[in-house]
Amino acid sequence: AVLHAAAGGPLGATGNGLPARAGPIVTGDDPARIEIAVFGAHMSGEPLNPMLVGLGARFLGAGHTAPVYRLFALPDAPPARPGLVRVGPRGAPIELEIWSLPRSRVGDLLASIPAPLGLGTVELEGGRHVNGFMCEGYVADLAEDITEFGGWRAYRASTREPSFQK
């Protein structure tokens, strides 16, 4: 990352500039833990949250990304999940949760993440950086852009069948 930043090239084939260097990845008062931003199936109440909790994760709070991302509904990804792609000025703030995970369990989390998802550096509103779920950019051509909903929960609420009372 240091060499890439020193070379001054773009972010892969996107043509976008490199994001600012991330700050420390450890949770402030506990260097044995790492903050992880989640955007979909690992959020509270979602299907993969028990797996995150089983790894010893602790909920720290909710917030939004910096307005430099787009969110996509990934096709054929049971359970249903989104992909977050950094796009620069064409982006919008996306709802997220921050969890604290023991450093010793990050490898277990990483091993459970299917392509095109992975872990990367996520910029939060206010400019702070944390580790979090990211998606490979090619999904922008294959998946439904759901950025307008502002987050996974709002998108899922919009796709559910209305309940009718008698």
Side-chain angles (χ1 to χ4, degrees):
V2 172
L3 179 60
H4 194 182
L11 180 62
T14 67
N16 296 328
L18 292 173
R21 290 261 330 188
I25 59 172
V26 296
T27 301
D29 61 345
D30 190 349
R33 301 184 71 82
I34 295 177
E35 291 180 354
I36 304 286
V38 299
F39 303 92
H42 288 87
M43 294 175 87
S44 302
E46 294 292 332
L48 296 180
N49 184 259
M51 186 270 298
L52 193 62
V53 172
L55 292 173
R58 293 185 209 139
F59 179 74
L60 296 179
H64 291 86
T65 67
V68 294
Y69 297 96
R70 297 202 72 76
L71 193 66
F72 297 88
L74 299 178
D76 304 321
R81 64 186 83 196
L84 183 78
V85 177
R86 187 178 180 106
V87 296
R90 302 181 333 250
I94 304 296
E95 176 192 20
L96 59 81
E97 289 182 353
I98 304 288
W99 288 75
S100 168
L101 187 67
R103 278 181 172 270
S104 63
R105 301 308 301 269
V106 172
D108 295 328
L109 176 64
L110 186 59
S112 74
I113 303 171
L117 299 172
L119 293 178
T121 302
V122 176
E123 184 178 356
L124 306 180
E125 60 188 349
R128 191 165 74 91
H129 293 82
V130 297
N131 292 292
F133 279 82
M134 298 289 295
C135 190
E136 295 183 50
Y138 73 85
V139 301
D141 295 330
L142 306 172
E144 177 186 1
D145 186 335
I146 61 171
T147 306
E148 67 186 274
F149 295 96
W152 183 242
R153 287 190 178 114
Y155 166 73
R156 297 273 288 162
S158 77
T159 62
R160 293 190 181 117
E161 292 292 321
S163 60
F164 297 98
Q165 297 179 357
K166 292 185 175 190

